[in-house]
Amino acid sequence: MFSYVTRNKSVRWLTFGIIILSTSAVCAQQQDPIVDAIVKEGQQNSQLEQYAFELMDVIGPRLVGTPQMKQAHDWVVDQYLKMGINARNEEYGEWRAWQRGVTQVEMTAPRLKSLEAIQLAWNPSTGDKGIEAEVIVLPFVDNSIAFQKWLPNAKGKIILISMLQPTGRSEEQWKEYATPASLAKIQDLKKSQTESWNQRIANTGYDIKTLPKILEDAGAVGIVSSFWTGIMGANRIFEAFTTKIPTIDIALEDYGTLYRLAEKGIKPKIKIKTISKNLGKTKTYNTIAEIKGTEKPDEYVVLSAHLDSWDGGTGATDNGTGIIVMMEAARILKKVLPHNKRTILIGNWGSEEQGLNGSRAFVEDHPELHDKIQVVFNQDNGTGRIVNLNGQGFLHAYDFLGKWLYDVPDDYKKDLKSTFPGSPSSGGSDHVSFVSADIPAFMLGALSWGYGNHTWHTNRDTYDKIVFDEVRNNAILIAILAYKASQEEELVSRQKINLPKSSDGKTIEWPAQKSPKRTGGLNN
């Protein structure tokens, strides 16, 4: 965290924050009946489980450009209309249209075995016959010239391009059960093997994104990776960089078997069958819902979450939980808040995972709203209860957020740590699209629950990872904050902190507004 304010002002806020977050424990403040109604509705009539079931289990993963993404947009519109809230899909661009199918991978030599594998996104189909070939390991060459001389050896082969992991057990298990000597040994081995493999990639003259296409052009018939997170069973699943041959990710255990066989000269073979569909191009959308304000309908409180996901799992904690929390908060407010002064706008953004495209498009396409947005509350990091709130560099943010938090019951804010005025984010999630346009926007950071390794962009990001008690608390907290923000007499101040100088003596600049990608993936 940068030190943007004087020590006295920082201390003032930290003390004020403690007072805010513990008020209910030290004095009997008068309760707001609307807050009480929000809590009651959120606890006694929650729809979160049903929303999660329909979004994650029925619709499934929501990769931009897939039919499931459009299905999700239409489902969100339908849900809001059922609540009596106006909603629409707002087009902002095009994307490569693609539909995932079945992935079947089998080791056919030296023995038969079904392998745990998945095709990477936007990769072409092999057709019903599939491809079968020998598996070889990317070699260690001295330099790019030596790699060019080796490349003809890739013809007709399936190439392993990920490191062989020295252990399939998590760091936590090693720390809990291993002797100190064994732990030190495995840690040193992992470090040395990682450094060696990184050098192996670098010596080719390419990187992990450009290398697959070079191998494809050299005649390789398949690419195999294993992007292990360090947790048993969890691999990160992203896009393919080949345009004609299959690229698949194989689970650590099966990948290790193939690697060792190939390394020992056994010449394993696998058969890959991927049935996906290239559907040309499709439109991209944001889904916008609005609870119209009664006194200041042209001013807005924005609830923000991205609807799209990667598709190794079903996008439960990234960012299905953010979407259903905002839906539930809106449902509660529609039911219990008779007259919200400002319009409450719910932005369900498309294509966040490819560069905040949906929210950037909304900000770019609606300059008339910039001075009319009271505040943006964004949620996008898993299923845990909200525990962090950063002022994003808006000098007077605490004057407003602190006041709104005052009326939040202690059960919903007791773990919340605030940093004000904080520093502006330059990336990471959709609030940045607004911050860069000088709009007060705040990321509501949640407890991890293993988000980084277990679920973030992995094949294990599924419904069963949702902790509904945590998500229910978040919906209630956000509903209260949105209610208070909608009733606030004045707009939140746009005044920003004076940014400090960097280590090279230059003044750090406020993050710049960026345009979205509006024709993504169409050249692949």
Side-chain angles (χ1 to χ4, degrees):
M1 184 180 90
F2 295 123
S3 297
Y4 293 143
V5 294
T6 65
R7 178 179 294 273
N8 287 341
K9 183 169 284 189
S10 296
V11 171
R12 173 195 170 197
W13 165 244
L14 290 173
T15 304
F16 181 52
I18 293 170
I19 292 172
I20 289 173
L21 302 184
S22 61
T23 298
S24 62
V26 297
C27 68
Q29 71 183 72
Q30 184 175 357
Q31 289 296 307
D32 183 330
I34 296 296
V35 170
D36 292 341
I38 289 172
V39 172
K40 182 178 179 181
E41 178 64 22
Q43 289 292 354
Q44 296 185 5
N45 194 32
S46 174
Q47 300 299 303
L48 287 165
E49 285 88 344
Q50 183 64 25
Y51 292 154
F53 166 71
E54 293 183 22
L55 185 59
M56 270 66 86
D57 285 348
V58 178
I59 296 174
R62 302 166 302 283
L63 183 72
V64 63
T66 62
Q68 289 76 22
M69 184 74 240
K70 181 56 165 60
Q71 184 182 358
H73 281 296
D74 291 342
W75 174 81
V76 171
V77 169
D78 184 61
Q79 295 305 305
Y80 279 112
L81 292 177
K82 288 179 179 178
M83 298 177 202
I85 298 173
N86 290 329
R88 65 186 184 277
N89 286 330
E90 191 171 282
E91 179 186 344
Y92 70 84
E94 295 178 328
W95 206 268
R96 180 181 179 182
W98 181 82
Q99 185 172 24
R100 176 177 294 286
V102 173
T103 300
Q104 294 177 340
V105 182
E106 301 166 338
M107 182 170 69
T108 57
R111 55 189 172 85
L112 292 176
K113 183 182 189 302
S114 295
L115 305 182
E116 183 182 348
I118 186 171
Q119 180 184 26
L120 298 189
W122 301 300
N123 194 225
S125 173
T126 62
D128 289 335
K129 291 184 178 180
I131 61 103
E132 183 177 7
E134 180 187 342
V135 175
I136 64 173
V137 178
L138 182 76
F140 195 108
V141 294
D142 292 333
N143 51 48
S144 61
I145 295 174
F147 180 66
Q148 292 300 320
K149 291 181 179 180
W150 174 87
L151 266 178
N153 294 288
K155 186 174 183 179
K157 301 297 194 299
I158 297 170
I159 317 297
L160 303 179
I161 64 168
S162 293
M163 182 184 88
L164 174 67
Q165 295 291 338
T167 178
R169 292 192 178 277
S170 67
E171 183 80 3
E172 289 75 14
Q173 286 189 354
W174 277 93
K175 289 179 178 178
E176 182 176 358
Y177 297 112
T179 65
S182 290
L183 176 61
K185 183 178 179 180
I186 196 67
Q187 289 176 332
D188 288 344
L189 185 59
K190 284 197 290 185
K191 181 180 178 182
S192 64
Q193 287 191 196
T194 299
E195 290 173 351
S196 177
W197 188 266
N198 289 342
Q199 192 62 53
R200 182 182 300 219
I201 298 292
N203 286 359
T204 68
Y206 302 97
D207 59 29
I208 201 65
K209 290 185 177 181
T210 55
L211 181 60
K213 189 67 174 68
I214 297 302
L215 294 169
E216 177 181 55
D217 292 343
V221 296
I223 304 294
V224 176
S225 64
S226 184
F227 195 169
W228 189 51
T229 68
I231 300 297
M232 289 183 186
N235 277 30
R236 300 203 198 283
I237 307 300
F238 292 112
E239 76 269 39
F241 297 103
T242 55
T243 58
K244 297 178 182 178
I245 65 173
T247 298
I248 60 172
D249 187 276
I250 292 183
L252 171 142
E253 295 80 4
D254 289 336
Y255 186 87
T257 298
L258 293 173
Y259 193 110
R260 289 185 292 272
L261 289 169
E263 193 175 41
K264 296 293 185 180
I266 304 300
K267 296 185 177 181
K269 289 185 178 181
I270 63 173
K271 182 176 182 180
I272 302 172
K273 179 180 176 181
T274 58
I275 308 300
S276 57
K277 293 180 181 179
N278 184 347
L279 302 175
K281 62 183 180 181
T282 189
K283 294 177 180 179
T284 53
Y285 303 91
N286 291 316
T287 300
I288 308 299
E290 293 180 291
I291 306 174
K292 207 67 176 175
T294 55
E295 296 182 23
K296 299 179 179 182
D298 60 343
E299 294 182 7
Y300 298 84
V301 174
V302 178
L303 304 185
S304 165
H306 71 86
L307 181 58
D308 65 303
S309 75
W310 283 104
D311 69 338
T314 57
T317 69
D318 187 18
N319 186 31
T321 47
I323 287 293
I324 65 173
V325 159
M326 297 307 175
M327 290 178 65
E328 175 71 352
R331 183 195 68 80
I332 293 169
L333 289 170
K334 178 63 177 176
K335 186 168 183 178
V336 308
L337 184 57
H339 303 293
N340 44 295
K341 290 182 180 179
R342 289 181 178 85
T343 296
I344 296 171
L345 184 149
I346 307 94
N348 307 268
W349 316 119
S351 191
E352 185 269 355
E353 298 293 1
Q354 282 66 51
L356 313 185
N357 294 318
S359 56
R360 281 177 174 166
F362 182 83
V363 170
E364 185 171 271
D365 293 345
H366 294 284
E368 77 282 0
L369 299 184
H370 291 196
D371 294 335
K372 301 292 187 179
I373 294 177
Q374 164 77 312
V375 68
V376 179
F377 294 115
N378 184 64
Q379 219 288 306
D380 177 22
N381 68 326
T383 189
R385 62 189 177 278
I386 292 167
V387 293
N388 292 307
L389 180 59
N390 184 313
Q392 294 296 321
F394 291 98
L395 185 60
H396 299 294
Y398 62 85
D399 292 338
F400 297 87
L401 290 166
K403 180 166 45 172
W404 303 337
L405 282 167
Y406 185 86
D407 287 333
V408 175
D410 193 54
D411 284 347
Y412 303 97
K413 67 184 179 185
K414 60 185 178 183
D415 298 317
L416 184 61
K417 296 180 181 179
S418 307
T419 306
F420 289 94
S423 56
S425 300
S426 59
S429 192
D430 291 299
H431 64 292
V432 174
S433 301
F434 295 89
V435 170
S436 64
D438 302 336
I439 300 167
F442 307 100
M443 175 70 171
L444 301 171
L447 281 176
S448 168
W449 280 87
Y451 179 71
N453 283 338
H454 285 83
T455 61
W456 179 69
H457 297 170
T458 77
N459 53 337
R460 297 295 185 255
D461 190 11
T462 47
Y463 178 101
D464 51 282
K465 307 307 186 303
I466 300 174
V467 182
F468 283 102
D469 282 346
E470 304 271 86
V471 177
R472 202 165 358 261
N473 283 10
N474 292 348
I476 290 169
L477 171 62
I478 292 169
I480 295 171
L481 290 175
Y483 154 56
K484 290 295 180 179
S486 73
Q487 308 304 95
E488 177 67 45
E489 290 301 320
E490 57 183 317
L491 282 172
V492 172
S493 170
R494 262 68 170 165
Q495 187 176 353
K496 298 180 287 186
I497 56 175
N498 294 321
L499 295 171
K501 293 183 182 298
S502 61
S503 58
D504 60 4
K506 296 181 180 179
T507 300
I508 297 174
E509 296 183 354
W510 195 262
Q513 186 178 342
K514 296 181 181 179
S515 293
K517 299 174 188 174
R518 295 185 187 265
T519 56
L522 296 181
N523 294 323
N524 290 345

